[in-house]
Amino acid sequence: MANTKERTEDTCPLVYQCRLPLSTRTVNHLADLLRRHLKAIRSRWRILLPGKIAVIVLAVLRHDQRLADMAGGNDVSESTVRRWRDELIGLLAVQAPRLDGALKQVVRQGLPRESPCTGSSSTT
């Protein structure tokens, strides 16, 4: 048995890559949201570009990647990835229609003849 001077602690970390099918439109939309937000809060910089942040957050949300794994692979802390995730979810939530507005739109367009809950037609 040959003695080596290398220890197991000195090995290179394992890199895990996966293919994440994302449309350019989705990534650009999130990156633009983040750019506008950063400009509004007068943030001077981020360690990564908004497009890269968007891809990391989408990987966390879509493939349920662990925050620590995504952080380690991108040389940022786990808390940074968590903050980015929460920030982008908040930005997307602001764009979502509120329930009262969605119901008003349904009323303006007219209610369907069949009730979605019972399947019976409404005859009055």
Side-chain angles (χ1 to χ4, degrees):
M1 178 181 233
N3 288 336
T4 61
K5 293 183 180 182
E6 292 182 19
R7 298 183 339 230
T8 57
E9 293 85 37
D10 294 335
T11 60
C12 294
L14 176 67
V15 176
Y16 169 74
Q17 293 181 344
C18 71
R19 184 179 168 116
L20 183 61
L22 296 172
S23 69
T24 304
R25 184 176 176 203
T26 301
V27 175
N28 287 339
H29 178 69
L30 284 179
D32 289 342
L33 276 177
L34 186 56
R35 278 187 204 98
R36 285 194 299 265
H37 174 68
L38 294 175
K39 188 173 183 178
I41 65 171
R42 296 182 179 175
S43 177
R44 294 180 52 163
W45 63 277
R46 292 283 168 106
I47 195 164
L48 296 176
L49 296 174
K52 181 77 170 175
I53 293 171
V55 170
I56 291 169
V57 169
L58 287 169
V60 168
L61 295 175
R62 176 118 187 227
H63 286 289
D64 199 24
Q65 291 289 327
R66 289 181 2 166
L67 297 176
D69 293 340
M70 293 304 295
N74 292 288
D75 295 326
V76 294
S77 70
E78 182 179 351
S79 62
T80 299
V81 175
R82 181 179 295 109
R83 182 173 36 87
W84 289 342
R85 180 200 62 195
D86 295 346
E87 188 173 43
L88 278 175
I89 288 174
L91 292 172
L92 287 170
V94 167
Q95 289 191 320
R98 291 181 37 180
L99 180 59
D100 59 345
L103 290 174
K104 286 177 186 176
Q105 183 178 3
V106 168
V107 170
R108 277 194 305 267
Q109 292 175 353
L111 295 173
R113 302 257 320 140
E114 286 201 15
S115 171
C117 297
T118 62
S120 63
S121 61
S122 58
T123 55
T124 53

